[in-house]
């Protein structure tokens, strides 16, 4: 079995090649003077099972994935699995008004053209998987995030909205503490409000867990509310740390004690590796 790492997911691919005992294929990925992309698989992968690992964010990484898939197909691989640590465009998962593209579906359809199977991590909504026309499944980073948070004396795991309640519940069972959720109302893509809700957080160490931190608005508003209610330390953790614009500044200004994400999108806050979650999932499917 060969693993091919795209530019966005080189470390995850290297980690997977070790845990799955597969060969990391050599590639040439470079840009022409006009900035168009060139990809080439240097190893002979003809007749082999190949796993391509590539986060589809930001946009150039999507084109790179398409070219890698094409190169692997052209090279005669037996089976192509695409592992997408972070599936970008997942949040436009329906038409919110007429005339819009269902972006998640558009990208999923194109990825399905040159693959036999797709695996992703904590998709924004589970039904996104149905947009692929090939078998698609997901694993969760929550157990690994929770294992990391276990060292921080957490009293309560909170979801910033009801949609993330399952993540909080799952994490709390590993940390061995309580869980609850906050009430969020999204006004537009940049503005949200967190409705006050009485939580038993006085002097407690709290971690707020979500699938994505983008602008940090959801987390910053949640921290504000928890501070008002007398929480002690407040950590924020997520699977996919996009940290758009001034997200980090907003989080620390709100009084955050620590920011933790996985390396589905690599940053200095990637304290938790995603490869163990993905390799366990792949191995469990092969049994
Ligand atoms: C939305 O439902 C997601 O789970 C996240 O809460 C959201 O994407 C976070 O966005 P932001 O950081 O911009 O508030």
């Amino acid at each position: 079995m060969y693993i091919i790492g795209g530019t966005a997911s080189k470390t995850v691919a290297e980690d997977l090649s070790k845990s799955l005992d597969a060969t990391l294929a050599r590639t040439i990925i470079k840009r022409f003077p006009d900035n168009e992309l060139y990809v080439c698989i240097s190893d002979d992968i003809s007749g082999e099972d190949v796993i391509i690992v590539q986060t589809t964010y930001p946009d150039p990484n999507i084109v790179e994935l398409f070219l890698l898939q094409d190169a692997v197909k052209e090279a005669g691989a037996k089976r192509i699995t695409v592992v997408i640590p972070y599936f970008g465009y997942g949040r436009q998962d329906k038409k919110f008004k007429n005339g819009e593209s269902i972006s998640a579906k558009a990208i999923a359809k194109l990825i399905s053209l040159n693959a036999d199977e797709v695996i992703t991590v904590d998709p924004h909504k589970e039904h996104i998987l149905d947009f692929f026309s090939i078998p698609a499944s997901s694993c969760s980073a929550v157990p690994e995030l929770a294992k990391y948070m276990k060292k921080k004396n957490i009293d309560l795991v909170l979801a910033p909205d009801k949609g993330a309640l399952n993540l909080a519940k799952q994490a709390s069972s590993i940390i061995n503490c309580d869980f609850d959720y906050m009430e969020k109302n999204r006004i537009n893509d940049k503005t949200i409000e967190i409705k006050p809700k009485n939580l038993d957080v006085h002097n407690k160490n709290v971690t707020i867990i979500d699938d994505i931190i983008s602008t940090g608005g959801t987390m910053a508003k949640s921290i504000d509310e928890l501070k008002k209610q007398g929480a002690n330390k407040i950590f924020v953790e997520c699977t996919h740390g996009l940290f758009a614009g001034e997200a980090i500044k907003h989080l620390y200004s709100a009084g955050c004690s620590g920011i933790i994400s996985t390396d589905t999108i690599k940053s200095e806050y990637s304290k938790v590796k995603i490869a163990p979650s993905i390799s366990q999932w792949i191995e469990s499917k092969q049994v």
Side-chain angles (χ1 to χ4, degrees), residues 30-102:
K30 62 180 188 183
R31 291 201 174 265
F32 288 109
D34 61 1
N35 215 31
E36 285 184 354
L37 196 63
Y38 167 93
V39 310
C40 177
I41 316 296
S42 307
D43 287 309
D44 179 8
I45 54 167
S46 164
E48 298 281 349
D49 286 349
V50 175
I51 298 179
I52 306 172
V53 192
Q54 175 79 322
T55 272
T56 57
Y57 173 88
D59 288 359
N61 292 320
I62 302 177
V63 176
E64 188 181 306
L65 174 59
F66 293 155
L67 297 191
L68 284 171
Q69 287 180 259
D70 187 62
V72 170
K73 186 87 167 183
E74 289 289 332
K78 184 171 83 184
R79 194 166 193 282
I80 307 173
T81 301
V82 176
V83 169
I84 309 170
Y86 170 61
F87 179 61
Y89 286 96
R91 284 179 292 174
Q92 184 75 20
D93 63 328
K94 63 179 182 186
K95 277 186 206 167
F96 295 87
K97 64 176 189 199
N98 278 340
E100 289 180 343
S101 160
I102 305 173

Side-chain angles (χ1 to χ4, degrees), residues 91 124 161 184 186 210-218:
R91 284 179 292 174
H124 182 58
D161 56 33
K184 175 167 107 176
R186 182 167 286 284
D210 208 349
D211 58 337
I212 296 171
I213 298 178
S214 179
T215 64
T218 300

